[in-house]
Amino acid sequence: IRAEQVEAIKVKGIKELLHMCNASPQHLVDAQFSLPYNLAMLVLGKQPGLEWASPANYGDPLVKRVASKVVIEHDPEADAAAQASKSGAMPARVEVATGEGTFSAEVREPSGGPRNPVTMSQVVDKFHNMTRDSLTPRKREQVLSYIEGLDRMDAVSPLMLLLRKKQTRRAS
């Protein structure tokens, strides 16, 4: 679905989602907890990660236009399911209306929870995405190699050295 096709996005879920409806975040924390902003970023094809935290996106007219199409509704059934769950379930349903029809998806358990764990492949993909601007591909592979063998390492100092930001000298 392309952004220009989206007519409306409806999110139905637990009552707490009603506190996450700021469509025009101005700061990182506002953006992190803004369903309209996060859904707009997804619709625009931006991969979750550091790009989402860019202040340039907060004021982007296209991001704001897509975010303004998001409506969040409380679903009492989602509250009941969340309360009955022992695993931290936060059920939600998203419906995207376009000129060609409505598309929907439902999530019963959050990604990364005990009943919906992320795979190692997903963790590695996220690591590459989150570090692509700060670590070279070679360093990323080295870090992953160290992490895979963490249980066999005597010390983590080689890993810490890889992750340490290089200090720049200040001119006197």
Side-chain angles (χ1 to χ4, degrees), residues 10 12-13 17 33 35 41 66 69 74-76 79 86 96 98-99 103 106 110 113 123-124 131 148 154 162 172:
K10 184 189 298 184
K12 297 169 91 173
L17 292 183
F33 293 98
L35 276 174
M41 297 299 280
V66 175
K69 297 177 182 186
H74 174 227
D75 178 3
D79 283 337
K86 302 277 191 260
V96 180
T98 71
F103 304 88
E106 188 170 339
V123 171
V124 169
T131 59
E148 287 173 2
D154 293 331
L162 277 175
S172 303

Side-chain angles (χ1 to χ4, degrees), residues 16 18 23 54 93 121-122 130-131 145 148 155:
E16 288 77 10
L18 296 174
S54 169
R93 180 174 186 77
S121 175
Q122 290 171 309
M130 298 298 287
T131 59
S145 179
E148 287 173 2

